[in-house]
Amino acid sequence: MRILITGIAGFIGFHVGKKLIENGYFVIGIDNLNPYYDITLKESRLEKLKQISQSENKGSLFFKKVDLENQDELKKIFVELKPEKVIHLAAQAGVRYSIENPSSYIQSNIVGFGNILEACKEFSIKHLVYASSSSVYGGNKSFPFSEKDSVDHPVSLYAATKKSNELMAHTYSHLFGISTTGLRFFTVYGPWGRPDMALFKFTNAIINEIPIEIFNRGDMIRDFTYIDDIVESIILVMNKEAEPNLSFRKEKPNPATSWAPYRVFNIGNSTPINLMDYITCIETLLGKKAIKKFMPMQPGDVKKTISDCTLLEEWINFKPTTSLEKGVSNFINWYREFYKS
């Protein structure tokens, strides 16, 4: 089967591509390799994927550098390589950066996603699986976060673009019968992770004896989700297309489903961790104390995220379970090997 993965040089895209190639799929990977963070890390991920694809009894990889905003170039890939399913993970990431550079989020996350939807329509793609985010829950105070909750009050432009993606996907599911599934990721971490994420930043700073910035003075809770659990969920979802909910009631709509072939799911560990406990875990595994700099809450951030993954577990019979200690240990082992530190 031919699977198109957008953002394949990114953290999650790399891991999904790696798993699919190892399982014998033909992976069509596209990425624009933007400089939001160190391009050499992205290039190293791509090199790793190429090595795996050249191994015996593995799948294959076709990679092309493409901007999703370039509709003509995107269309050429669909014409020439004929993907059957699409896993859309490309996006301008980061809540805080969306305050500094909002236009990049509009172009990548809105215009780019619109072009993906148009291609899926034109080339009769069987299933579009796309990345949403736990950020869509915004100012919600009902915990744990459920797909049945309203998500109409985002607190960052990044979150607003992800909510927009869900609305756009629903429109195409309704109008054109495209099966679409949105996945709301909760704080993904693990080997090959992004340098702008907390685990990478804290590990790097502690090893190099640089102060770490702890926002809201440490009074934060996150639902940390290990990358292998995310990958397993994505692939299982990819192989189970969204279907219309025949019991959907328009007079009392459930945001998680639709009369169209459309679904959204949380993917989280459902084990909320206090930020200070997270830092302690990193310190313990590194055998070194952090130099702590306590900071106020940042604009666009949220104090707490906790996922309810009941719907996901019912849909694919899988639930993320990797412990924080195991996941952080795996990251640190990778970091030390990759950066020789």
Side-chain angles (χ1 to χ4, degrees):
M1 181 175 288
R2 294 168 174 251
I3 309 296
L4 173 66
I5 302 176
T6 71
I8 197 167
F11 172 36
I12 300 176
F14 159 75
H15 280 280
V16 174
K18 177 175 177 289
K19 186 74 169 181
L20 288 175
I21 293 168
E22 288 172 344
N23 288 347
Y25 286 84
F26 176 40
V27 171
I28 304 155
I30 62 175
D31 202 293
N32 69 354
L33 299 175
N34 79 40
Y36 170 63
Y37 63 82
D38 185 11
I39 292 178
T40 59
L41 177 57
K42 298 180 180 182
E43 291 171 340
S44 295
R45 292 176 183 142
L46 285 175
E47 184 59 33
K48 182 72 173 177
L49 292 178
K50 290 174 185 176
Q51 291 171 7
I52 295 169
S53 69
Q54 291 164 2
S55 302
E56 192 174 351
N57 299 320
K58 302 295 182 185
S60 55
L61 170 70
F62 174 91
F63 172 75
K64 187 164 186 179
K65 184 179 178 181
V66 176
D67 270 313
L68 294 182
E69 300 96 296
N70 188 331
Q71 193 171 26
D72 291 338
E73 283 298 310
L74 188 62
K75 183 175 179 178
K76 285 180 185 177
I77 290 173
F78 279 80
V79 170
E80 294 170 8
L81 297 166
K82 298 177 173 57
E84 297 167 68
K85 295 184 179 181
V86 174
I87 300 176
H88 175 62
L89 300 170
Q92 177 56 62
V95 168
R96 292 151 198 163
Y97 188 59
S98 68
I99 297 173
E100 302 170 26
N101 190 5
S103 62
S104 66
Y105 289 77
I106 300 300
Q107 290 302 310
S108 180
N109 300 6
I110 303 296
V111 176
F113 187 62
N115 289 340
I116 286 290
L117 286 168
E118 275 293 297
C120 288
K121 177 190 76 175
E122 184 173 351
F123 296 95
S124 303
I125 295 301
K126 294 178 182 179
H127 192 190
L128 168 63
V129 179
Y130 63 94
S132 186
S133 170
S134 62
S135 296
V136 300
Y137 288 103
N140 286 21
K141 296 296 183 183
S142 176
F143 299 102
F145 292 149
S146 168
E147 301 93 333
K148 298 174 184 178
D149 296 337
S150 168
V151 288
D152 292 334
H153 298 88
V155 296
S156 70
L157 180 62
Y158 170 70
T161 64
K162 289 300 185 179
K163 168 62 174 173
S164 298
N165 288 171
E166 295 179 2
L167 295 172
M168 293 164 72
H170 183 269
T171 302
Y172 274 69
S173 293
H174 163 65
L175 290 174
F176 309 112
I178 301 170
S179 179
T180 68
T181 304
L183 303 176
R184 295 172 178 172
F185 300 135
F186 281 71
T187 315
V188 187
Y189 73 101
W192 297 92
R194 284 179 11 216
D196 64 321
M197 298 292 283
L199 178 55
F200 196 114
K201 291 169 71 174
F202 290 166
T203 299
N204 178 68
I206 293 169
I207 287 174
N208 293 290
E209 299 182 354
I210 300 168
I212 64 172
E213 294 183 334
I214 303 173
F215 294 100
N216 204 35
R217 296 171 178 82
D219 186 16
M220 306 273 277
I221 291 173
R222 286 291 181 271
D223 193 343
F224 295 99
T225 316
Y226 188 60
I227 184 62
D228 287 0
D229 290 332
I230 293 287
V231 170
E232 184 71 14
S233 299
I234 290 173
I235 293 174
L236 288 170
V237 165
M238 178 193 77
N239 288 319
K240 187 171 181 180
E241 297 170 21
E243 299 172 347
N245 177 3
L246 300 180
S247 301
F248 189 85
R249 296 170 58 195
K250 291 186 178 181
E251 70 276 10
K252 192 176 181 181
N254 173 2
T257 67
S258 174
W259 64 87
Y262 163 93
R263 292 298 300 262
V264 291
F265 294 106
N266 291 336
I267 303 183
N269 197 272
S270 303
T271 307
I273 305 291
N274 183 278
L275 179 58
M276 297 309 297
D277 293 334
Y278 187 57
I279 293 169
T280 298
C281 178
I282 300 169
E283 290 175 323
T284 300
L285 291 166
L286 286 174
K288 194 171 184 179
K289 287 289 185 182
I291 304 168
K292 301 177 179 70
K293 183 180 180 182
F294 291 95
M295 306 285 288
M297 190 75 159
Q298 289 194 117
D301 213 345
V302 296
K303 181 178 176 180
K304 183 191 301 186
T305 65
I306 307 172
S307 65
D308 178 350
C309 294
T310 304
L311 294 181
L312 177 74
E313 188 175 5
E314 290 174 349
W315 187 249
I316 60 173
N317 195 30
F318 176 79
K319 181 179 180 181
T321 57
T322 303
S323 71
L324 185 69
E325 291 75 14
K326 180 180 178 181
V328 171
S329 177
N330 289 348
F331 171 83
I332 290 173
N333 290 339
W334 166 82
Y335 180 95
R336 288 195 182 281
E337 180 181 353
F338 188 81
Y339 291 101
K340 313 299 181 189
S341 62

